[in-house]
Amino acid sequence: KIQDKDNTMIDDTKSLTELGLKHGSLLSIISKSSSDSKEKTSSLSARKRKEVASSFQPFPDLAKKDATRARYDMARQKKNRGVHSYTDLLDRQSNSHVVEPQGAGPIHRVYMCATSAQRFHASKNTNKVGLLFGTVQRERKEATSRRKIQTSLSSQPKAEDFCQVVKVHTIWEPPSSLNQKQTKNKVGYSNHFLLKQSEAMKRVQKVASYLGLKPIGWIFAYGDEEKELPKNNANDKTSVVITGKDLTIGAQLQIQQMQQRGREDGAKFVTLAMQASDGATEAFQISDVCVQMASEGILTPSKSNIISTIHEIVVDGKETKQLESVLCLINTALLSHEGMYVAHSEQKPTVKSKTGTLTLKIKKALLKAVEETMAKGSNDDSSLLSLLCDFPTLLALDTLLADDEQTQDICRSVSKWTRGQKQGTHISSKLKRTLKLILTS
């Protein structure tokens, strides 16, 4: 192929007169392979730029340009000038994430359902992980049991007197047959099912939406042997609750929610760590800069509290590739309450941990309640609705019901029941016959 001085391709089938070339015109001859290589590289670069531009940034204000590109530019400048200037070093640090302790997150405190926590801790198994479903509410920062009497002299509450809180109403545990490949030497949980947007996960979120619930966090169980400090920290007796693996998974789950529900609403996401031996639980939020670094793929999951990073980050004014997990955590107050979508009469799990189907005990209890209400012929379904007010039970019934509208009808009645509308709330006779049929089969 032939190009002129303006890098314009010349048609070699035409004569010099037709091309308008004169004596002294500069031409360059390039090989076909070199031209194809340049076009291919240009195409790949354009596709890469498009992928980077379309990638989701959870916190755009904290986003940094490609660190690899920044370091390449600095190396080229040093080659041309021989040394780095102070401006070059400032530019390098400006393209690196600065990790500092974050004082507060969007959530002021977490209310955990006591019955759900007891069920989660029942097996004392460290290979457990669950998704927290609940609501985000607004309440006073200073929660007082006594309600103050408002008078004409009372001051009006200000916006800064209120805060955002998370109320966990139920925990959904992925069936072990889907989430874990059990082995004799396995230690820790499997996270693939939570991060994977499978049909089963979509079904869980669909049923939760019928009840007015949304994913507001996740919980995992850990054993003492999983949280040992590295050998270089042998003199430090403090336990490690959140490792690099936990931190990365929590950040990825939050990014998913920010993509689905929006940045502001999805950022209201918490991480709960439960000790499998005694059930002691702590609540955390992940700092904004850590979530942004996870979205850029900078963090490397690890089994210790020391996280390796692909590129240098700035900690305490110094560049490093080692990050302690505690710098990325925000301690959050954890309180107890009774969740709305848990059958409190059943302290043990109502579904089988391996398959997610109804246990024989709850199946018999549901069938008995259906038969009793059908025999009475009245609209008093209190015994049946009290058993149906359980999220895992509703999920198991959803797989048995053929029509999605039937699931919506049950969830609609359950929502009214849990919100105190017990007068006139009942299950239709047709739906009772369907429930009896699937429970006896």
Short mmCIF file of all heavy atoms in Angstrom, two decimals, residues 355-383:
data_model
loop_
_atom_site.label_atom_id
_atom_site.label_comp_id
_atom_site.label_asym_id
_atom_site.label_seq_id
_atom_site.Cartn_x
_atom_site.Cartn_y
_atom_site.Cartn_z
N THR A 355 -31.98 -28.35 50.19
CA THR A 355 -32.80 -28.17 48.98
C THR A 355 -33.67 -26.91 49.01
O THR A 355 -34.14 -26.47 47.97
CB THR A 355 -33.72 -29.39 48.80
OG1 THR A 355 -34.56 -29.53 49.97
CG2 THR A 355 -32.90 -30.66 48.61
N GLY A 356 -33.92 -26.34 50.19
CA GLY A 356 -34.79 -25.18 50.28
C GLY A 356 -36.26 -25.50 50.28
O GLY A 356 -37.10 -24.61 50.21
N THR A 357 -36.62 -26.80 50.35
CA THR A 357 -38.02 -27.21 50.39
C THR A 357 -38.53 -27.21 51.83
O THR A 357 -37.75 -27.17 52.78
CB THR A 357 -38.18 -28.61 49.78
OG1 THR A 357 -37.33 -29.53 50.49
CG2 THR A 357 -37.79 -28.60 48.31
N LEU A 358 -39.86 -27.28 51.99
CA LEU A 358 -40.48 -27.23 53.31
C LEU A 358 -40.09 -28.45 54.14
O LEU A 358 -40.00 -29.57 53.62
CB LEU A 358 -42.00 -27.17 53.19
CG LEU A 358 -42.60 -25.91 52.55
CD1 LEU A 358 -44.09 -26.09 52.32
CD2 LEU A 358 -42.35 -24.70 53.43
N THR A 359 -39.86 -28.22 55.43
CA THR A 359 -39.62 -29.35 56.34
C THR A 359 -40.93 -30.08 56.59
O THR A 359 -42.03 -29.53 56.40
CB THR A 359 -39.03 -28.87 57.66
OG1 THR A 359 -39.97 -27.96 58.29
CG2 THR A 359 -37.71 -28.14 57.45
N LEU A 360 -40.84 -31.31 57.03
CA LEU A 360 -42.04 -32.11 57.28
C LEU A 360 -42.89 -31.49 58.38
O LEU A 360 -44.13 -31.50 58.30
CB LEU A 360 -41.63 -33.54 57.66
CG LEU A 360 -42.77 -34.54 57.87
CD1 LEU A 360 -43.61 -34.67 56.59
CD2 LEU A 360 -42.23 -35.89 58.31
N LYS A 361 -42.26 -30.90 59.39
CA LYS A 361 -42.99 -30.31 60.50
C LYS A 361 -43.84 -29.12 60.05
O LYS A 361 -45.04 -29.04 60.38
CB LYS A 361 -42.01 -29.87 61.59
CG LYS A 361 -42.67 -29.24 62.80
CD LYS A 361 -41.64 -28.80 63.82
CE LYS A 361 -42.32 -28.11 65.01
NZ LYS A 361 -41.34 -27.65 66.02
N ILE A 362 -43.25 -28.20 59.31
CA ILE A 362 -44.00 -27.02 58.87
C ILE A 362 -45.03 -27.40 57.80
O ILE A 362 -46.11 -26.77 57.71
CB ILE A 362 -43.03 -25.93 58.33
CG1 ILE A 362 -43.76 -24.58 58.18
CG2 ILE A 362 -42.42 -26.35 57.01
CD1 ILE A 362 -44.24 -24.00 59.46
N LYS A 363 -44.74 -28.44 57.04
CA LYS A 363 -45.70 -28.90 56.04
C LYS A 363 -46.97 -29.43 56.70
O LYS A 363 -48.09 -29.12 56.28
CB LYS A 363 -45.05 -29.99 55.18
CG LYS A 363 -45.66 -30.16 53.81
CD LYS A 363 -44.83 -31.10 52.96
CE LYS A 363 -45.39 -31.21 51.57
NZ LYS A 363 -44.59 -32.12 50.72
N LYS A 364 -46.79 -30.19 57.77
CA LYS A 364 -47.94 -30.72 58.51
C LYS A 364 -48.70 -29.60 59.20
O LYS A 364 -49.94 -29.60 59.24
CB LYS A 364 -47.47 -31.76 59.54
CG LYS A 364 -47.00 -33.06 58.94
CD LYS A 364 -46.59 -34.04 60.04
CE LYS A 364 -46.18 -35.39 59.45
NZ LYS A 364 -45.77 -36.35 60.53
N ALA A 365 -47.97 -28.62 59.74
CA ALA A 365 -48.62 -27.51 60.43
C ALA A 365 -49.45 -26.67 59.45
O ALA A 365 -50.58 -26.26 59.77
CB ALA A 365 -47.57 -26.64 61.12
N LEU A 366 -48.94 -26.43 58.25
CA LEU A 366 -49.68 -25.68 57.24
C LEU A 366 -50.92 -26.43 56.78
O LEU A 366 -52.01 -25.85 56.65
CB LEU A 366 -48.78 -25.38 56.03
CG LEU A 366 -47.73 -24.29 56.19
CD1 LEU A 366 -46.77 -24.30 55.00
CD2 LEU A 366 -48.38 -22.92 56.32
N LEU A 367 -50.75 -27.72 56.55
CA LEU A 367 -51.88 -28.54 56.11
C LEU A 367 -52.98 -28.58 57.17
O LEU A 367 -54.18 -28.48 56.86
CB LEU A 367 -51.40 -29.95 55.77
CG LEU A 367 -52.46 -30.92 55.24
CD1 LEU A 367 -53.07 -30.39 53.96
CD2 LEU A 367 -51.85 -32.31 55.00
N LYS A 368 -52.60 -28.69 58.42
CA LYS A 368 -53.57 -28.71 59.52
C LYS A 368 -54.32 -27.39 59.60
O LYS A 368 -55.55 -27.36 59.78
CB LYS A 368 -52.85 -29.00 60.84
CG LYS A 368 -53.78 -29.06 62.04
CD LYS A 368 -52.99 -29.34 63.31
CE LYS A 368 -53.92 -29.35 64.53
NZ LYS A 368 -53.16 -29.59 65.80
N ALA A 369 -53.60 -26.27 59.45
CA ALA A 369 -54.24 -24.95 59.50
C ALA A 369 -55.19 -24.75 58.34
O ALA A 369 -56.28 -24.18 58.51
CB ALA A 369 -53.17 -23.86 59.51
N VAL A 370 -54.83 -25.22 57.14
CA VAL A 370 -55.70 -25.09 55.97
C VAL A 370 -56.98 -25.91 56.16
O VAL A 370 -58.10 -25.43 55.90
CB VAL A 370 -54.96 -25.53 54.69
CG1 VAL A 370 -55.92 -25.64 53.52
CG2 VAL A 370 -53.85 -24.55 54.36
N GLU A 371 -56.82 -27.15 56.62
CA GLU A 371 -57.99 -28.02 56.81
C GLU A 371 -58.93 -27.49 57.90
O GLU A 371 -60.15 -27.58 57.77
CB GLU A 371 -57.52 -29.43 57.15
CG GLU A 371 -56.85 -30.14 55.98
CD GLU A 371 -56.31 -31.51 56.37
OE1 GLU A 371 -56.16 -31.76 57.59
OE2 GLU A 371 -56.04 -32.32 55.46
N GLU A 372 -58.36 -26.92 58.96
CA GLU A 372 -59.21 -26.38 60.04
C GLU A 372 -60.02 -25.18 59.57
O GLU A 372 -61.21 -25.07 59.87
CB GLU A 372 -58.33 -25.99 61.23
CG GLU A 372 -57.81 -27.18 62.03
CD GLU A 372 -56.95 -26.74 63.20
OE1 GLU A 372 -56.66 -25.53 63.31
OE2 GLU A 372 -56.57 -27.61 64.02
N THR A 373 -59.39 -24.28 58.83
CA THR A 373 -60.12 -23.10 58.35
C THR A 373 -61.17 -23.48 57.31
O THR A 373 -62.25 -22.88 57.25
CB THR A 373 -59.15 -22.08 57.73
OG1 THR A 373 -58.36 -22.73 56.72
CG2 THR A 373 -58.22 -21.52 58.79
N MET A 374 -60.86 -24.48 56.47
CA MET A 374 -61.84 -24.92 55.48
C MET A 374 -63.01 -25.63 56.15
O MET A 374 -64.16 -25.51 55.71
CB MET A 374 -61.17 -25.85 54.46
CG MET A 374 -60.17 -25.17 53.54
SD MET A 374 -59.38 -26.30 52.38
CE MET A 374 -60.76 -26.76 51.33
N ALA A 375 -62.75 -26.36 57.24
CA ALA A 375 -63.82 -27.06 57.95
C ALA A 375 -64.75 -26.09 58.67
O ALA A 375 -65.97 -26.30 58.71
CB ALA A 375 -63.22 -28.04 58.95
N LYS A 376 -64.19 -25.01 59.23
CA LYS A 376 -65.01 -24.02 59.93
C LYS A 376 -65.86 -23.21 58.96
O LYS A 376 -66.95 -22.78 59.30
CB LYS A 376 -64.11 -23.07 60.73
CG LYS A 376 -63.41 -23.72 61.91
CD LYS A 376 -62.53 -22.71 62.62
CE LYS A 376 -61.79 -23.35 63.79
NZ LYS A 376 -60.89 -22.36 64.47
N GLY A 377 -65.34 -22.99 57.76
CA GLY A 377 -66.08 -22.21 56.77
C GLY A 377 -66.12 -20.74 57.08
O GLY A 377 -66.92 -20.00 56.50
N SER A 378 -65.26 -20.27 57.98
CA SER A 378 -65.21 -18.85 58.33
C SER A 378 -63.99 -18.21 57.69
O SER A 378 -63.15 -18.86 57.08
CB SER A 378 -65.14 -18.68 59.85
OG SER A 378 -63.94 -19.25 60.37
N ASN A 379 -63.92 -16.87 57.84
CA ASN A 379 -62.80 -16.11 57.29
C ASN A 379 -61.71 -15.87 58.33
O ASN A 379 -60.85 -15.01 58.13
CB ASN A 379 -63.29 -14.77 56.75
CG ASN A 379 -64.13 -14.95 55.49
OD1 ASN A 379 -63.93 -15.89 54.73
ND2 ASN A 379 -65.08 -14.05 55.29
N ASP A 380 -61.74 -16.62 59.43
CA ASP A 380 -60.71 -16.47 60.45
C ASP A 380 -59.51 -17.34 60.08
O ASP A 380 -59.46 -18.53 60.37
CB ASP A 380 -61.26 -16.88 61.82
CG ASP A 380 -60.23 -16.65 62.93
OD1 ASP A 380 -59.23 -15.95 62.66
OD2 ASP A 380 -60.43 -17.17 64.05
N ASP A 381 -58.54 -16.72 59.40
CA ASP A 381 -57.35 -17.45 58.93
C ASP A 381 -56.12 -17.08 59.75
O ASP A 381 -55.00 -17.12 59.23
CB ASP A 381 -57.10 -17.14 57.45
CG ASP A 381 -58.23 -17.62 56.55
OD1 ASP A 381 -58.95 -18.53 56.97
OD2 ASP A 381 -58.38 -17.06 55.45
N SER A 382 -56.31 -16.71 60.99
CA SER A 382 -55.19 -16.24 61.81
C SER A 382 -54.11 -17.31 61.98
O SER A 382 -52.92 -17.02 61.90
CB SER A 382 -55.69 -15.77 63.17
OG SER A 382 -56.40 -16.81 63.83
N SER A 383 -54.53 -18.57 62.22
CA SER A 383 -53.55 -19.64 62.41
C SER A 383 -52.76 -19.90 61.14
O SER A 383 -51.54 -20.16 61.18
CB SER A 383 -54.25 -20.92 62.87
OG SER A 383 -55.22 -21.33 61.90
#
